[in-house]
Amino acid sequence: MITELVSSTVLIGILASGIRLATPYLYAAIGETFGQRSGVLNLGVEGQMLLGAFAAFYLVFMTGNLVLGLLAALAVGALMGLAMAFVTVNLKAEQGISGIGFYLFGLGMSDLLFQRMLGTVETVSGFSKVNIPFLSDIPVIGEILFRQNLLVYGAFALVPIAWFVLNKTTLGLKIRAVGENPEAADSLGVSVAKVRYFTIILGGMLSGIAGASLSIGLLNVFQQNMTSGLGFIAVALVYFGGWRPWGVLGGALLFSMVNSLQLWIQVLGIPIPSDIAVMMPYVLTILALVVTVSRVRGPSALTKPFGREE
Amino acid sequence: MSDRNVLPSGQAKIDELEMVGIVKRFPGVLANDDIDFDVRAGEVHALLGENGAGKSTLMKILYGLYQADEGEILVSGERVEITNPTDAIAHGIGMIHQHFMLVETLTVAENVALGLKSTRGLLTDIEHVSERIDELARLYGLFVDPAAYIWQLSVGQQQRVEILKALYRGAALLILDEPTAVLTPQEVDDLFRIMRQMADDGHALIFISHKLHEVIEISQRVTVLRDGRKIGTKPTSETTKSDLGTWMVGREVSFRPIKSESEPGEVRLRLDNVSALSNRETPALKGVSLEVRSGEILGLAGVSGNGQRELAEVITGLCPVTGGSVFLEGEDVTDKSVAERTERMLSYIPEERMRDGMIRNFTVAENLILREHNKAPYARSGFLDLDQIAVHTGDLIQEYNVKTPSQETYVKSLSGGNIQKLVLARELSRQPRVIVAAQPTRGLDIGATEYVHQQLIRQRSSGAATLLISEDLDEILALSDRIAVIYEGEIMGTLDAHDATAEEIGLLMAGVRPDERSEAVG
Amino acid sequence: MKSYKWMTFLLLIALMLGACAGAAPTEDTTGAPDEPAGPFRVAVVMPSAINDLAFSQSMYDALLTVQERMGGEEKMEIVFSESMFVVDDAAAAIRDYASQGFDLVIAHGSQYGSSLQEIAPDFPETAFAWGTTLDTFEDQGITNVFAYEAASDQGGFVNGVLAATLSESGVIGVVGPIETGDAKLYVDGFVAGAQSVNPDIDVNVNWIGSFSDVALSAEAANTHISAGADVLTGTAQMVVGAVGVAEEAGALWFGTQADQSSLAPDIVVANQVYRWEVVLEDVIELVQSGTYGAKSYRINLANGGEEIVFNPGFDLPEDVKTLAEDTIAGIIDGSIVVGGSAAEAQTLPSFEETFRVAVVMPSAINDLAFSQSMYDALVTIQERMGGEEKMEIVFSESMFVVDDAAAAIRDYAASGYDLVIAHGSQYGSSLQEIAPDFPETSFAWGTTVDTFTDQGITNVFAYEAASDEGGYVNGVMAATLSESGVIGVVGPIETGDAKLYVDGFVAGVSSVDPRIDVNVNWIGSFSDVALAAEAANTHLSAGADVLTGTAQMVVGAIGAAEENGALWFGTQSDQSSLAPDIVVANQVYRWEVVLEEILTLISEGKYGGQAFVIDLANGGEEVAFNPGFDLPADVQALAEETIQGIIDGSITIDLGG
């Protein structure tokens, strides 16, 4: 039975599943990376995802227009980000606690809106698979990588973009400086508040899209608490990835691939108890975390509010 | 350099900058009270004062980090508005902060480029910035690799990056906030050389310090502040060290505490080949051996971060050793707990008095009994005896001259000097046999420093063995009977205080051993 | 709703001012209160159109008849508000009519009850009538409300007898809206009637979940016809769609509520028609003599309130017609007892005060799964008990954090609820701590059979579903329908209800074909929709063409199945609406069965100590076929045989294999 694991159907299945599962993590974790690189820990990702998922779903449900759905997810995420930025930058609230607050708000609000505006689980037709010409015909790889929906491609395209923005632009330089030493950035005329507002709002928008990637991309349904902790895994993946987009990609893929591997292990009847199988991605992630974290240092000013006259 | 109004960097000079009638109020404090101050091109103007005298506030106003409540700033006679650092930079003002404003994880060039418009729009232009840094470095003799990360650089090099940052932004006026505090004597010399050259080239420099001899050495004029008010401005050549000291403190001060000849007795503290790791799990102490005798003060000199902190914690038991042994009065206490060492009358004046010495949200009385709270007279069979505590802490507050509204005042609302007095009261009143004093006067004003020094000498006279860890070389020279120098976790040498010179110690602090010196010179 | 109250308030003031202004010139307006000046004024508020050929029309026709008998518009004025499906709008209309001085205001819809209860006391001089119900609110001191209801099972029984006699294929189809109230009563009677003629007859019932979805009712009818039905019936206004389909296919139709013969003169055989005149005439008489309410009516065949109207255009064989008339006579004289639902409805005890139920659930009340199954059951029971006045339901949903749930359970118990339901096996240890502190409160806990009796706790009921039975039936169908020979299962955690269902499903599959691969994937979460979807994708990649799964996160899996055209079998709740094309059938829990028992025991003073298991035999589990799915008749027949076999014990489920 173990040998079945290396058959091409299974390999393609595992990899294609892993790519899909990684999609929401990527949006959320890349958004979170921007926030954390600027020194703000946003634990409200899950809440932003839920509201984004609902907003996108609802708009598509009512209008059938996918672009409107995406815009709604972006808008809701941006609003949540704006609120989070106000609380953490202006009010200098403890970031962990306020993040949990935003999570609970998103959880409750999305549920309330769901009950009031939809009432029951409904379905929509979301983003459909787009086969990329030629590339999708490549054996194995084509099936894994190039027969997915647009939001999946978007998630993976985001990684090099985020890397480029962080490392090759003046904005990225400001973000990194603000997260390491806001006093230094401030003394050079960089507005710490503006930079943090930008990254938190951007993070919120990407979290919104992460939610939308579930509700109108991969699943095409909305259910209360449908993210079920995914947003928190995304935060963990930022640490895992050493606050670097490529590292986050690696973490997201590892976690997702192991998750899809364990699904196949169960399907193939490999005699591992299901409880053990479902633990695999978590255990592996924790192990990898232990190995990587001691090597990489996070942004020095992470979770520290900034103010001049103290 | 041919044009008399242009600096080597290509920027226009600031002929004169004036601050007129500056007033700044913080809740409950008048930080600057109607202060006039001016600086001209080509001079180093020293700003002298104790902690809390208002020097930093005044300079932060000039740099746009604070806003003055009253008063105005004139550049070459014209009034300017400076509401944030960007404005200050635009007017040619640069500031070198005491705590460097550098992002450790970025390179030199990235730190310099931060916040500037890029020649490539949204993209960074590190190559272009690097070229310009090289150019400036040549002009001013400030050599540093633009591609190096800040964390790879020495403190002196980091300071150069700070100066380069200011010059890159076209600074014609530089504010240097206590720039020598973190440097070795050799690095100080280097800095002064650069400062003199910059002044000669037409820059205006403001030098903030509370070290009188440095002020006399480098500045042309000196302004003294005390309690937020300006005492006066004079050409430096017309003042003496003791004049300035009296201006600063408001009374005469003694610079060399009077102490008797040492009468060293038996060895009370001995470290034998001790090694230890830092918080980051890197080797911090590499085979340190030391002894301190009864009735003597051993000064431990060294630039911050060379293992001083770990050494103090190894002795007090806060940090485990990875090799070697610690002896208190001949007994091996390497594996003994902090409490067991305390039992043997070891007292500790920690470096971070607010973090390791005191509990901010405890009252004065509670903090005073922390070390012996479970013993008579403070406690009986596990219950605190509040009456006795009140009596004894009252006595201590009087004896150690702590200025506090009451015993029930929270420690966080006291001044730094009074907090240190509380630490001394707690640690020294128990007649310790061994004292570890780490940076006991850091951040204290001259008056409080004087007091701490007197107390340490008093303990020495009553036979305590004291290890004094300090980065202030003047303090080491003034108090110690013998001086050990630590560099990268190793003791570079131990000197007799009588014939040690600052230069000799400075070389050891920089890691140059006596036997290597001839090579370095040759 | 607020704005409506304000509007009516302003309207009242305006009316009062108008009355005063108008009173000045004609001073005898108030002088002769007892003189029946002017016509008798009746207003009626109805949920659908007056010409719906169903519920609303039955009342409107009756009013017209009474008007004629009384002597036309001069003697009786009728105004109506139709299509009042929004209850708030209906309430505003009822209040308006009452304040305009109508003599009788009819709230023709059981959903209007709670509104009426608020409005009626404000207008003690106005008579109200409310149906269909038997509750006049008299026990709450309200004396101006009449209640009326139809014993629709009686006409249903007669229709059933006729249908069974006329059916040649032995398959009859029923299309209903929601399994409750008048509709359920009719269908129960119909089924009983059909079975009284031929116990082996197949009566397939389809509840489409809507009173208005004409398209879906047509689709349901199509399904019946594909399944071999040659006789159909149905109730509520949306059945016009079904009638059309029947006509096209040449199947026979039996109507109810109103005479539907005109819709399809060739195929409508007979209709049970409501003659509310019987009720109205008595009500009007009472109102005119000064009695404004506190009397309830039940129309039936005996009192002439129900009538079987044969379609004159249909050529009904004489012997059949005779049989029908004998049946009617038998019901009237009591020689035929239409049992079923009437008896069932009476198993519910009555409580003096409002019975208060609180339920704590791990997911949302509309999760299309575990939580919804309980909530739907509670709502059904509430309706059968007589609405919110008789039974109050509060709930805490999404209590996936056990500590939060424990706090909620304790709060409800401390607030004096009569029954607190901890709907999740994970709440057991909390309940064990809480229950002894509230000995006067009854608790119910599921799914489990442990009532903690052995620990001296006497106020906890336990309930569980024999979900392996429905799983087995689903498995049998799945194995029959699978072409690839690979079936995928998506489950949450390998324990409890989920494990039981999956084990039953696997057993059902292998009873058909032991060579079929059933791959089971436990994803370790009840809420991770994305992972459930991916598990389904994994099954599909592994070649599965039929999937099933349990717990609320499977909505993700259903989506994946739909996208790939794989079939789906649901459990816990009816999931057909999610993917109408691919859901074949669902095991649906009917916790009503348990709740009835618990309520009865509580009314007898027992607070716990008993465990209940719902299964196919006791009606607590039901296999609901998706009307939108074109299930081959032989497969449906196999499923029904399997159900029968499980019920009669001829099939035993071997969970070991």
Side-chain angles (χ1 to χ4, degrees):
Chain A
M1 284 203 183
I2 305 281
T3 51
E4 288 176 24
L5 261 181
V6 291
S7 80
S8 70
T9 325
V10 174
L11 273 181
I12 291 170
I14 289 175
L15 296 173
S17 279
I19 297 281
R20 282 191 294 269
L21 281 174
T23 300
Y25 291 122
L26 278 177
Y27 282 112
I30 294 288
E32 179 74 10
T33 302
F34 276 99
Q36 293 204 10
R37 283 304 282 268
S38 76
V40 182
L41 170 72
N42 176 11
L43 285 185
V45 175
E46 176 97 352
Q48 295 170 335
M49 286 178 68
L50 278 168
L51 276 176
F54 179 78
F57 182 86
Y58 187 71
L59 266 257
V60 174
F61 181 72
M62 296 306 286
T63 67
N65 188 327
L66 292 170
V67 177
L68 276 184
L70 274 190
L71 289 178
L74 284 170
V76 165
L79 269 179
M80 286 281 282
L82 185 70
M84 175 88 194
F86 179 72
V87 166
T88 54
V89 176
N90 297 76
L91 305 183
K92 301 185 172 53
E94 209 285 321
Q95 292 174 5
I97 304 293
S98 48
I100 296 291
F102 278 100
Y103 155 57
L104 292 173
F105 172 79
L107 175 67
M109 196 63 184
S110 60
D111 191 18
L112 179 73
L113 293 174
F114 168 55
Q115 304 282 6
R116 283 292 163 92
M117 298 166 79
L118 287 175
T120 185
V121 180
E122 300 276 3
T123 55
V124 294
S125 73
F127 284 92
S128 48
K129 288 184 179 163
V130 176
N131 291 358
I132 295 185
F134 308 117
L135 292 177
S136 60
D137 298 331
I138 303 172
V140 184
I141 295 184
E143 201 168 323
I144 295 167
L145 295 179
F146 300 111
R147 294 185 196 171
Q148 307 281 6
N149 73 54
L150 273 179
L151 290 178
V152 176
Y153 298 132
F156 284 84
L158 198 57
V159 175
I161 293 172
W163 172 84
F164 185 83
V165 169
L166 275 175
N167 293 291
K168 296 288 165 191
T169 66
T170 52
L171 176 69
L173 186 62
K174 285 182 195 169
I175 291 171
R176 285 184 289 147
V178 163
E180 281 295 334
N181 190 342
E183 287 80 15
D186 181 51
S187 77
L188 295 175
V190 174
S191 167
V192 176
K194 265 191 210 161
V195 169
R196 289 188 172 172
Y197 260 84
F198 173 82
T199 58
I200 303 168
I201 291 173
L202 176 69
M205 290 165 81
L206 289 176
S207 294
I209 294 291
S213 76
L214 292 171
S215 68
I216 61 170
L218 297 167
L219 306 174
N220 303 330
V221 293
F222 182 87
Q223 195 181 48
Q224 51 95 230
N225 191 32
M226 71 186 290
T227 51
S228 77
L230 215 143
F232 290 99
I233 300 278
V235 176
L237 287 175
V238 175
Y239 284 78
F240 184 99
W243 293 270
R244 288 170 180 80
W246 292 107
V248 168
L249 173 66
L253 282 178
L254 176 72
F255 186 83
S256 309
M257 293 294 175
V258 176
N259 223 344
S260 58
L261 172 72
Q262 66 93 0
L263 292 176
W264 274 100
I265 284 179
Q266 292 191 48
V267 164
L268 296 175
I270 293 170
I272 297 175
S274 67
D275 314 275
I276 303 289
V278 296
M279 275 195 288
M280 280 173 50
Y282 298 92
V283 171
L284 217 91
T285 306
I286 290 168
L287 282 181
L289 208 56
V290 169
V291 175
T292 49
V293 156
S294 56
R295 284 193 289 111
V296 189
R297 206 171 54 86
S300 304
L302 187 58
T303 76
K304 290 183 189 128
F306 170 75
R308 260 186 215 162
E309 303 194 16
E310 299 226 5
Chain B
M1 259 180 274
S2 54
D3 189 331
R4 284 182 44 225
N5 288 319
V6 175
L7 300 168
S9 59
Q11 294 295 321
K13 288 180 187 174
I14 293 179
D15 291 330
E16 183 171 31
L17 180 137
E18 293 166 272
M19 299 179 79
V20 183
I22 300 293
V23 176
K24 176 70 185 175
R25 298 181 197 90
F26 288 120
V29 186
L30 190 54
N32 284 169
D33 183 4
D34 192 22
I35 292 177
D36 295 338
F37 181 81
D38 74 297
V39 60
R40 300 168 202 143
E43 76 165 348
V44 176
H45 189 153
L47 187 58
L48 186 65
E50 295 209 87
N51 287 314
K55 310 180 299 266
S56 290
T57 304
L58 187 67
M59 289 301 112
K60 282 183 174 168
I61 288 169
L62 181 55
Y63 194 59
L65 288 167
Y66 293 167
Q67 307 307 309
D69 296 319
E70 289 169 34
E72 55 186 18
I73 299 171
L74 307 168
V75 174
S76 303
E78 271 185 56
R79 190 182 164 156
V80 295
E81 286 291 331
I82 299 177
T83 56
N84 55 51
T86 314
D87 292 346
I89 292 165
H91 286 106
I93 299 167
M95 183 157 179
I96 313 300
H97 299 266
Q98 183 178 3
H99 303 288
F100 297 149
M101 292 295 180
L102 294 170
V103 182
E104 291 218 328
T105 52
L106 300 185
T107 65
V108 171
E110 283 176 330
N111 266 283
V112 171
L114 181 60
L116 290 177
K117 273 223 155 54
S118 165
T119 55
R120 295 171 62 201
L122 289 178
L123 307 186
T124 51
D125 53 349
I126 297 304
E127 299 77 18
H128 172 82
V129 173
S130 301
E131 282 167 25
R132 174 74 177 145
I133 289 172
D134 284 336
E135 194 181 325
L136 284 171
R138 267 198 312 281
L139 284 169
Y140 288 89
L142 293 163
F143 294 103
V144 61
D145 176 8
Y149 284 93
I150 298 300
W151 56 265
Q152 296 172 321
L153 302 180
S154 72
V155 174
Q157 286 172 313
Q158 291 186 14
Q159 197 166 52
R160 290 181 184 186
V161 178
E162 283 282 44
I163 296 172
L164 276 170
K165 244 166 65 181
L167 291 174
Y168 193 100
R169 285 167 169 71
L173 184 154
L174 271 182
I175 306 162
L176 297 114
D177 187 4
E178 307 220 8
T180 60
V182 290
L183 302 181
T184 64
Q186 280 74 19
E187 284 172 332
V188 171
D189 287 346
D190 211 32
L191 174 66
F192 282 0
R193 181 185 58 73
I194 294 165
M195 284 172 67
R196 280 193 198 96
Q197 193 204 326
M198 289 174 75
D200 290 346
D201 288 339
H203 289 272
L205 293 115
I206 301 171
F207 176 67
I208 304 174
S209 181
H210 60 246
K211 291 184 181 166
L212 302 176
H213 65 91
E214 290 178 353
V215 168
I216 287 173
E217 184 183 343
I218 188 75
S219 69
Q220 280 83 54
R221 286 196 297 157
V222 55
T223 294
V224 178
L225 302 184
R226 191 204 310 151
D227 293 338
R229 275 191 296 275
K230 176 171 164 179
I231 304 301
T233 302
K234 270 194 182 180
T236 312
S237 53
E238 294 170 19
T239 63
T240 65
K241 210 170 149 183
S242 66
D243 287 349
L244 291 176
T246 310
W247 271 17
M248 221 167 109
V249 185
R251 61 179 167 80
E252 290 216 25
V253 287
S254 66
F255 293 99
R256 284 253 163 187
I258 301 117
K259 59 176 190 193
S260 52
E261 271 306 301
S262 70
E263 291 164 15
E266 81 281 6
V267 174
R268 290 226 174 133
L269 168 67
R270 185 156 72 83
L271 271 68
D272 187 13
N273 204 23
V274 168
S275 300
L277 298 178
S278 72
N279 293 342
R280 289 190 183 179
E281 309 279 304
T282 53
L285 295 178
K286 304 164 189 164
V288 170
S289 297
L290 281 180
E291 21 175 89
V292 189
R293 291 169 179 273
S294 162
E296 78 163 352
I297 295 177
L298 175 69
L300 185 73
V303 176
S304 147
N306 274 293
Q308 291 97 319
R309 180 187 191 89
E310 289 79 6
L311 183 65
E313 293 190 346
V314 157
I315 298 169
T316 53
L318 292 166
C319 168
V321 301
T322 52
S325 313
V326 180
F327 298 88
L328 282 177
E329 302 197 78
E331 187 189 353
D332 187 345
V333 296
T334 316
D335 297 323
K336 297 273 192 272
S337 70
V338 176
E340 285 167 314
R341 297 181 200 207
T342 302
E343 291 283 327
R344 289 167 178 79
M345 285 313 190
L346 169 70
S347 277
Y348 178 39
I349 299 164
E351 177 175 343
E352 307 240 357
R353 64 183 80 92
M354 265 322 232
R355 205 190 66 187
D356 299 336
M358 288 277 139
I359 301 177
R360 292 165 59 86
N361 292 320
F362 271 29
T363 64
V364 167
E366 284 167 338
N367 267 297
L368 276 174
I369 65 162
L370 268 187
R371 193 174 279 282
E372 310 221 305
H373 67 270
N374 52 355
K375 296 204 191 92
Y378 302 138
R380 276 191 315 234
S381 17
F383 292 94
L384 289 176
D385 186 335
L386 297 176
D387 295 336
Q388 282 295 315
I389 290 174
V391 172
H392 282 263
T393 55
D395 291 349
L396 285 175
I397 287 170
Q398 241 177 354
E399 189 184 339
Y400 284 84
N401 195 20
V402 183
K403 286 181 197 143
T404 170
S406 80
Q407 295 176 18
E408 302 308 315
T409 303
Y410 288 104
V411 157
K412 62 181 176 189
S413 55
L414 297 186
S415 75
N418 279 305
I419 290 170
Q420 189 70 324
K421 282 178 184 172
L422 279 180
V423 174
L424 293 182
R426 188 181 70 206
E427 298 296 326
L428 303 184
S429 63
R430 53 199 288 263
Q431 284 132 18
R433 300 177 68 79
V434 177
I435 300 166
V436 176
Q439 319 287 1
T441 61
R442 181 148 82 189
L444 299 188
D445 57 33
I446 290 192
T449 302
E450 221 182 348
Y451 182 84
V452 171
H453 288 174
Q454 282 163 10
Q455 290 298 327
L456 289 177
I457 287 169
R458 206 174 90 188
Q459 291 296 327
R460 167 179 176 265
S461 312
S462 50
T466 305
L467 176 66
L468 169 68
I469 301 171
S470 176
E471 284 154 28
D472 183 343
L473 209 45
D474 296 337
E475 178 171 78
I476 295 270
L477 285 166
L479 288 181
S480 310
D481 300 306
R482 290 186 300 133
I483 298 168
V485 181
I486 191 166
Y487 174 75
E488 292 196 342
E490 288 179 67
I491 300 295
M492 303 301 290
T494 307
L495 312 168
D496 195 308
H498 283 297
D499 38 51
T501 64
E503 289 65 35
E504 198 174 356
I505 297 170
L507 283 170
L508 290 171
M509 280 165 71
V512 186
R513 288 179 194 278
D515 49 343
E516 293 166 4
R517 249 172 254 163
S518 49
E519 280 171 47
V521 173
Chain C
M1 184 164 160
K2 276 269 160 56
S3 60
Y4 259 116
K5 280 188 177 157
W6 273 107
M7 264 170 60
T8 41
F9 179 70
L10 289 174
L11 214 69
L12 268 174
I13 291 177
L15 279 169
M16 280 161 64
L17 289 174
C20 291
T26 52
E27 54 189 31
D28 66 343
T29 315
T30 49
D34 291 328
E35 196 175 312
F40 188 84
R41 301 174 69 212
V42 179
V44 58
V45 176
M46 299 177 290
S48 50
I50 56 163
N51 52 3
D52 66 351
L53 284 179
F55 185 67
S56 295
Q57 180 162 2
S58 70
M59 176 54 76
Y60 190 69
D61 287 354
L63 282 166
L64 290 181
T65 306
V66 172
Q67 186 185 47
E68 226 167 274
R69 283 188 202 155
M70 283 180 71
E73 285 177 28
E74 283 125 59
K75 293 293 174 191
M76 179 173 158
E77 177 191 343
I78 303 171
V79 296
F80 60 87
S81 292
E82 58 182 342
S83 302
M84 288 280 135
F85 46 85
V86 179
V87 172
D88 285 349
D89 294 349
I94 292 169
R95 189 175 280 279
D96 281 355
Y97 288 132
S99 59
Q100 286 165 25
F102 279 85
D103 300 301
L104 174 63
V105 180
I106 304 173
H108 190 56
S110 51
Q111 63 268 48
Y112 304 150
S114 54
S115 311
L116 193 62
Q117 195 187 345
E118 283 178 21
I119 298 168
D122 298 345
F123 302 92
E125 300 287 297
T126 303
F128 296 88
W130 173 41
T132 60
T133 181
L134 291 177
D135 185 5
T136 63
F137 305 126
E138 194 184 357
D139 52 349
Q140 287 159 54
I142 298 174
T143 55
N144 57 335
V145 174
F146 295 99
Y148 57 88
E149 168 175 288
S152 55
D153 51 336
Q154 295 191 355
F157 191 93
V158 178
N159 278 356
V161 167
L162 290 174
T165 313
L166 293 173
S167 171
E168 285 166 16
S169 68
V171 181
I172 299 175
V174 181
V175 180
I178 292 173
E179 192 177 1
T180 178
D182 184 70
K184 179 166 164 47
L185 208 55
Y186 170 74
V187 173
D188 288 348
F190 183 89
V191 173
Q195 284 172 348
S196 75
V197 174
N198 176 7
D200 294 331
I201 203 156
D202 273 340
V203 185
N204 303 326
V205 183
N206 238 325
W207 299 103
I208 68 164
S210 165
F211 284 89
S212 54
D213 195 334
V214 179
L216 193 57
S217 86
E219 211 41 64
N222 268 325
T223 309
H224 287 309
I225 285 167
S226 311
D230 58 350
V231 179
L232 300 180
T233 188
T235 173
Q237 56 268 27
M238 81 295 167
V239 294
V240 293
V243 176
V245 170
E247 186 176 30
E248 218 167 276
L252 302 181
W253 179 264
F254 288 86
T256 183
Q257 295 181 330
D259 187 345
Q260 295 164 349
S261 306
S262 63
L263 268 177
D266 294 341
I267 57 138
V268 175
V269 180
N271 307 275
Q272 165 175 242
V273 178
Y274 295 163
R275 301 281 185 215
W276 298 113
E277 300 92 302
V278 178
V279 174
L280 289 171
E281 278 172 348
D282 193 56
V283 167
I284 291 170
E285 207 167 291
L286 284 171
V287 172
Q288 282 175 339
S289 66
T291 303
Y292 294 136
K295 184 171 178 188
S296 62
Y297 302 87
R298 190 161 207 227
I299 56 166
N300 56 29
L301 291 170
N303 63 24
E306 285 175 9
E307 191 181 337
I308 302 298
V309 176
F310 297 96
N311 174 11
F314 184 81
D315 188 14
L316 186 63
E318 215 33 59
D319 57 332
V320 181
K321 190 164 185 179
T322 312
L323 174 63
E325 277 159 1
D326 289 349
T327 308
I328 295 169
I331 292 172
I332 292 174
D333 67 21
S335 62
I336 295 175
V337 178
V338 183
S341 54
E344 194 184 331
Q346 270 143 28
T347 63
L348 283 176
S350 65
F351 295 90
E352 298 213 341
E353 290 170 7
T354 306
F355 189 81
R356 301 173 70 211
V357 182
V359 57
V360 176
M361 298 178 289
S363 50
I365 57 164
N366 49 10
D367 66 351
L368 285 179
F370 186 65
S371 295
Q372 180 161 359
S373 71
M374 176 53 79
Y375 187 71
D376 286 353
L378 281 168
V379 171
T380 304
I381 292 283
Q382 183 188 45
E383 246 166 70
R384 279 178 34 202
M385 282 185 72
E388 286 173 29
E389 301 77 34
K390 292 293 180 188
M391 179 170 156
E392 175 193 343
I393 304 172
V394 295
F395 59 87
S396 291
E397 57 181 345
S398 307
M399 289 280 135
F400 44 84
V401 179
V402 172
D403 284 351
D404 294 350
I409 292 169
R410 188 173 281 280
D411 282 353
Y412 287 132
S415 320
Y417 279 85
D418 299 303
L419 173 63
V420 179
I421 304 174
H423 191 54
S425 49
Q426 62 267 50
Y427 304 150
S429 52
S430 310
L431 193 64
Q432 196 184 344
E433 284 177 20
I434 297 169
D437 297 345
F438 301 93
E440 299 287 298
T441 303
S442 180
F443 295 88
W445 173 41
T447 59
T448 180
V449 287
D450 183 3
T451 61
F452 304 128
T453 315
D454 51 348
Q455 289 159 55
I457 297 174
T458 56
N459 57 337
V460 174
F461 292 107
Y463 57 88
E464 181 175 272
S467 53
D468 52 329
E469 296 190 356
Y472 188 91
V473 178
N474 279 356
V476 166
M477 283 187 273
T480 315
L481 293 172
S482 171
E483 284 165 15
S484 68
V486 181
I487 296 173
V489 181
V490 180
I493 292 173
E494 194 174 357
T495 178
D497 183 71
K499 179 165 162 51
L500 204 55
Y501 170 76
V502 174
D503 288 349
F505 184 88
V506 173
V509 171
S510 51
S511 76
V512 173
D513 184 351
R515 290 162 308 169
I516 289 180
D517 272 343
V518 186
N519 301 325
V520 184
N521 233 326
W522 300 102
I523 67 163
S525 164
F526 285 87
S527 53
D528 195 333
V529 184
L531 195 57
E534 220 40 70
N537 276 325
T538 305
H539 287 309
L540 295 166
S541 307
D545 60 348
V546 180
L547 299 179
T548 188
T550 172
Q552 58 270 24
M553 80 294 166
V554 294
V555 294
I558 297 173
E562 188 178 28
E563 204 171 299
N564 290 277
L567 301 180
W568 178 265
F569 287 88
T571 183
Q572 297 181 331
S573 278
D574 189 339
Q575 296 161 347
S576 305
S577 65
L578 264 181
D581 295 340
I582 58 135
V583 175
V584 179
N586 308 275
Q587 165 174 243
V588 179
Y589 293 166
R590 304 274 182 222
W591 297 113
E592 296 93 307
V593 177
V594 172
L595 291 170
E596 280 162 7
E597 296 276 349
I598 290 178
L599 259 57
T600 306
L601 286 169
I602 292 176
S603 75
E604 290 163 3
K606 279 197 70 181
Y607 294 132
Q610 205 160 324
F612 306 93
V613 179
I614 55 167
D615 57 22
L616 290 169
N618 64 23
E621 283 175 12
E622 193 180 332
V623 175
F625 297 95
N626 172 13
F629 183 82
D630 189 13
L631 184 65
D634 57 332
V635 180
Q636 179 154 358
L638 175 64
E640 275 157 7
E641 274 168 35
T642 309
I643 294 170
Q644 203 50 48
I646 293 172
I647 291 175
D648 67 23
S650 63
I651 295 176
T652 50
I653 302 168
D654 178 14
L655 295 180

